[in-house]
Amino acid sequence: MNLYFHATPNSMKVAVLLHELNLPFEVTPIDIFKGEQHLPEFRAVNPNGKVPALVDEDIIVFDSHAILLHLSEKHGRFIPTDLSRKAAMLSWLQLVATGLSPYSGQAIHFLHYAPEDLPYAKNRYVKEVERTYEVLDRRLEISEWLAGDGYTVADMALWGWAASAGYIFGDKGLDDFPAVKRFMTTMSDRPAVQQALALKAEYTFKAVLDDETRKALFPDNTNR
């Protein structure tokens, strides 16, 4: 198995699952700040040019939640078999996919990467991230895990983005969402999470936001 990886929230959640399953895998680092996601050899794996992607024997799967579902179904772990619990897991997994993930990404973009200061955009996306965390916080006030009493890939998905909350909220981090903060403390004790963080530390990626990086991350903007 080969994981195409950059230390993004989406790649990290997949790394957690691979370690939870105790699966052997190789890593191909993709430095998105250098534009390696646009190279033909990576586009042959993921035509969308995003990390992560996974080659699992003769199967290619991309998009982090597709990878989570593929591996959990293949190995029969971290995905409920009971239809009611599976529906709950899928619902919370998709809330992360369609709510927390894109709005966090847009909030981070306008807070840290946009070449112009756009107060409306920053307010719009930060407020939506806050609203989504409020939904997640209410859930975790009454449930140890998102899908109920069992740990699932939905929790790994939430951890991936919640680990970057400080990049949006600053020093207070998740202080406004105590149940999510409790959840993250619980997650931090899991060996698989610690192994994923150790994997992240093994690789050094470009961190400078220069013109090369802006063209690599936002190629459509360079032509406008």
Side-chain angles (χ1 to χ4, degrees), residues 5-80:
F5 172 87
H6 187 106
T8 63
N10 289 327
S11 291
M12 290 298 290
K13 66 182 79 160
V14 172
V16 170
L17 177 57
L18 287 166
H19 286 297
E20 291 283 8
L21 293 170
N22 197 29
L23 295 173
F25 64 97
E26 297 178 353
V27 172
T28 298
I30 302 294
D31 196 326
I32 61 175
F33 273 39
K34 293 181 179 178
E36 292 175 354
Q37 68 273 33
H38 304 305
L39 295 175
E41 51 266 39
F42 180 65
R43 287 300 182 103
V45 177
N46 183 359
N48 194 37
K50 304 285 185 180
V51 290
L54 185 76
V55 176
D56 180 7
E57 297 180 348
D58 60 346
I59 296 171
I60 295 175
V61 57
F62 56 86
D63 191 276
S64 61
H65 286 202
I67 297 170
L68 293 179
L69 289 170
H70 163 72
L71 289 174
S72 61
E73 289 181 351
K74 177 180 177 180
H75 296 279
R77 296 185 64 197
F78 308 115
I79 184 168

Side-chain angles (χ1 to χ4, degrees), residues 4-178:
Y4 291 80
F5 172 87
H6 187 106
T8 63
N10 289 327
S11 291
M12 290 298 290
K13 66 182 79 160
V14 172
V16 170
L17 177 57
L18 287 166
H19 286 297
E20 291 283 8
L21 293 170
N22 197 29
L23 295 173
F25 64 97
E26 297 178 353
V27 172
T28 298
I30 302 294
D31 196 326
I32 61 175
F33 273 39
K34 293 181 179 178
E36 292 175 354
Q37 68 273 33
H38 304 305
L39 295 175
E41 51 266 39
F42 180 65
R43 287 300 182 103
V45 177
N46 183 359
N48 194 37
K50 304 285 185 180
V51 290
L54 185 76
V55 176
D56 180 7
E57 297 180 348
D58 60 346
I59 296 171
I60 295 175
V61 57
F62 56 86
D63 191 276
S64 61
H65 286 202
I67 297 170
L68 293 179
L69 289 170
H70 163 72
L71 289 174
S72 61
E73 289 181 351
K74 177 180 177 180
H75 296 279
R77 296 185 64 197
F78 308 115
I79 184 168
T81 54
D82 173 78
L83 286 180
S84 178
R85 291 184 63 239
K86 185 175 183 179
M89 183 278 293
L90 289 171
S91 296
W92 291 105
L93 180 69
Q94 290 306 100
L95 177 65
V96 176
T98 63
L100 186 62
S101 175
Y103 282 106
S104 292
Q106 292 299 325
I108 289 170
H109 175 81
F110 286 107
L111 287 169
H112 299 288
Y113 295 156
E116 306 169 56
D117 182 25
L118 299 171
Y120 176 85
K122 290 192 289 187
N123 182 72
R124 161 69 178 141
Y125 290 113
V126 170
K127 291 298 183 183
E128 187 61 17
V129 172
E130 290 175 345
R131 187 196 68 80
T132 306
Y133 271 119
E134 288 170 358
V135 174
L136 292 160
D137 203 63
R138 288 194 295 270
R139 172 60 173 174
L140 291 170
E141 283 178 349
I142 62 172
S143 179
E144 182 178 7
W145 304 107
L146 286 178
D149 58 0
Y151 174 59
T152 71
V153 290
D155 302 300
M156 302 175 208
L158 171 56
W159 174 84
W161 277 102
S164 298
Y167 210 39
I168 298 172
F169 301 129
D171 291 341
K172 71 176 181 177
L174 291 166
D175 287 349
D176 293 340
F177 314 103

